[in-house]
Amino acid sequence: MSLYKIRVAGLEDILQQDEIDLKELRNFCFYGIPDCSGLRSTCWKLLLGYLGPKRDTWSATLAKKRELYKQFIEEMVIPPGEQNGAACVDHPLSDGPESNWNTFFKDNEVLLQIDKDVRRLCPDISFFQQATEFPCESVVSHNRERKLHVRVAPSTLSSANVERKGLGMTKINLITKRAIENYQAMDAGQEAHWEVVERILFLYAKLNPGQGYVQGMNEIIGPIYYVLASDPNVEYRQYAEADCFFCFTALMGEIRDFFIKTLDESEGGIKFMMARLSNMLKDKDPEVWNRLRDQELYPQYYSFRWLTLLLSQEFPLPDVLRIWDSVFADEKRYDFLVKVCCAMIILLREQILDNDFACNVKLLQNFPPMDIKVVLRKATSLE
């Protein structure tokens, strides 16, 4: 039996236990989840806390969460005049604070940025441009106004200026992996995967008004949705949208400090994380650290994006999934992410020591293609 088949069998044994040993699962997943039989989908749900360790609770948990998500769509996606088939008791021109229509139009400002971002998601694969097998019936079976992208057609709205202000939204610069052209919407009765992601992000923003939508969240949700919507289990694919929403919400609960300016200096804030990376580099490779310091090439010039977007912009999607296996399995959470970032710098040491400031900025902001196994092996050695 091949090593790969042995690993598959080993993970299946772990997942078939009545009560899954999460420590054993983390130890296994840290070294990569076999890309077959929907194993990654199940493991990520467990590692992110969406599913509990007791298998006999899964069915009830999934049924409850999926029904809750359906209610979110009915309450927050369906236009005010159509909710539950009720007659409209609120005028679209009302600007009162209690007006559902007033909220509806204000939501479009955030929705415009989401729409812009999801139309160019994960351009290295065609997946997000394709039609989902399971479009949301309450959306596609009615008029086109229930499709969120229709609400923010270019002819009706101008782009919002999204900046980083306190607990509000932020614009993350240097998002490099974007399609050249916007993805197109599907015909009536169908939905593309990017339209589903748009709805998830919109609902997340609605339900988290203190944070709202932050540009870059689309890069976090993309790999999660891809994994869940590619599950060979038909039921899991059918409910990938709802399951993705709750997995994404759980993950954002852990990294939300990365996106909030007022928490930059906190232990979970992005400046604190960049300082940890700098200190680790100083300890593991003082020569490279001194070179970057002498050039005044500070971590925020390159590692802000690395850490905030969990390296989703630096590697092809299959490599991102492999990195996230280890990051999600890290019991201390995100310690390993810092090690991966440090390993990336050390593996470029010869070039960094030889380059001038401009070349090093370009090098670190556009990380060169590299075998992900080499990067992870180096990161694992940084104990």
Side-chain angles (χ1 to χ4, degrees):
M1 185 181 292
S2 69
L3 179 60
Y4 180 80
K5 289 183 178 179
I6 291 173
R7 282 188 58 77
V8 170
L11 182 53
E12 287 177 341
D13 286 344
I14 294 173
L15 294 176
Q16 286 170 3
Q17 297 171 9
D18 291 338
E19 183 167 357
I20 293 164
D21 185 332
L22 291 180
K23 184 175 182 179
E24 184 182 16
L25 180 68
R26 289 192 191 100
N27 290 339
F28 188 102
C29 293
F30 183 82
Y31 295 99
I33 301 170
D35 192 16
C36 70
S37 307
L39 293 174
R40 178 173 281 120
S41 172
T42 301
C43 289
W44 281 16
K45 289 171 186 172
L46 285 159
L47 294 173
L48 291 171
Y50 178 46
L51 292 178
K54 295 183 178 180
R55 286 178 57 89
D56 60 5
T57 66
W58 290 5
S59 295
T61 297
L62 292 173
K64 180 180 179 181
K65 294 291 189 180
R66 291 164 180 174
E67 181 60 31
L68 179 59
Y69 185 78
K70 183 179 178 181
Q71 292 176 24
F72 290 158
I73 292 177
E74 293 293 333
E75 294 172 8
M76 287 174 261
V77 173
I78 309 304
E82 301 178 19
Q83 292 172 355
N84 296 325
C88 181
V89 295
D90 187 12
H91 197 281
L93 297 181
S94 172
D95 60 359
E98 302 300 322
S99 169
N100 289 331
W101 280 107
N102 183 36
T103 301
F104 177 84
F105 291 122
K106 284 185 177 180
D107 288 342
N108 287 350
E109 297 174 14
V110 176
L111 181 55
L112 182 63
Q113 184 64 57
I114 296 174
D115 186 74
K116 178 181 176 182
D117 292 342
V118 297
R119 284 178 182 266
R120 299 188 176 191
L121 185 61
C122 297
D124 44 349
I125 59 172
S126 63
F127 175 81
F128 288 94
Q129 304 172 55
Q130 299 172 8
T132 174
E133 299 171 82
F134 303 103
C136 179
E137 287 300 320
S138 62
V139 171
V140 299
S141 61
H142 291 73
N143 64 61
R144 292 182 72 248
E145 291 300 324
R146 291 192 173 188
K147 286 198 167 191
L148 293 176
H149 67 84
V150 175
R151 288 169 49 174
V152 289
S155 60
T156 59
L157 288 172
S158 60
S159 181
N161 181 27
V162 183
E163 299 294 342
R164 199 161 188 253
K165 297 177 182 177
L167 291 176
M169 293 177 288
T170 184
K171 184 169 185 175
I172 296 173
N173 294 322
L174 302 172
I175 293 189
T176 56
K177 284 167 57 176
R178 278 186 172 166
I180 297 174
E181 297 181 354
N182 287 336
Y183 301 154
Q184 298 302 308
M186 295 280 113
D187 295 333
Q190 293 184 306
E191 282 188 307
H193 288 294
W194 69 261
E195 295 181 74
V196 179
V197 173
E198 179 174 41
R199 187 162 52 243
I200 298 171
L201 288 172
F202 176 72
L203 288 172
Y204 178 83
K206 288 279 291 178
L207 290 164
N208 295 271
Q211 181 181 29
Y213 172 72
V214 178
Q215 188 180 28
M217 287 181 180
N218 57 308
E219 306 297 342
I220 299 292
I221 198 173
I224 298 175
Y225 178 79
Y226 172 78
V227 167
L228 301 191
S230 302
D231 196 306
N233 183 305
V234 176
E235 180 192 349
Y236 284 170
R237 287 202 310 276
Q238 181 178 356
Y239 293 101
E241 178 178 351
D243 294 345
C244 178
F245 171 83
F246 290 105
C247 286
F248 173 71
T249 299
L251 178 57
M252 286 306 303
E254 297 176 359
I255 65 172
R256 69 186 299 270
D257 291 2
F258 292 2
F259 292 89
I260 298 177
K261 187 174 182 180
T262 55
L263 297 178
D264 279 355
E265 308 287 352
S266 69
E267 188 171 336
I270 192 63
K271 285 186 179 179
F272 182 85
M273 294 289 284
M274 289 191 291
R276 285 181 58 193
L277 172 58
S278 180
N279 291 335
M280 181 178 293
L281 180 62
K282 182 179 181 180
D283 178 55
K284 302 300 181 182
D285 198 328
E287 191 176 5
V288 169
W289 183 87
N290 280 314
R291 178 65 171 170
L292 296 177
R293 183 196 60 178
D294 291 345
Q295 292 182 342
E296 297 184 351
L297 207 172
Y298 303 116
Q300 55 263 39
Y301 291 154
Y302 54 90
S303 67
F304 177 84
R305 185 183 71 214
W306 293 4
L307 293 164
T308 304
L309 303 184
L310 308 185
L311 295 171
S312 62
Q313 292 283 288
E314 317 312 317
F315 297 94
L317 183 60
D319 290 352
V320 173
L321 303 185
R322 173 61 192 88
I323 294 169
W324 286 16
D325 288 345
S326 296
V327 171
F328 292 167
D330 180 10
E331 194 164 9
K332 295 182 180 178
R333 288 302 201 212
Y334 314 112
D335 279 9
F336 190 69
L337 176 64
V338 174
K339 290 178 183 177
V340 174
C341 293
C342 188
M344 290 164 62
I345 300 171
I346 294 173
L347 289 168
L348 298 176
R349 77 181 314 274
E350 299 304 325
Q351 293 160 269
I352 290 172
L353 294 175
D354 188 55
N355 283 347
D356 59 16
F357 171 84
C359 290
N360 275 335
V361 169
K362 185 176 181 180
L363 177 67
L364 292 171
Q365 288 186 350
N366 300 276
F367 192 78
M370 189 175 294
D371 187 343
I372 194 60
K373 293 179 182 178
V374 172
V375 177
L376 293 174
R377 187 159 53 243
K378 184 64 177 179
T380 304
S381 73
L382 298 177
E383 296 297 340

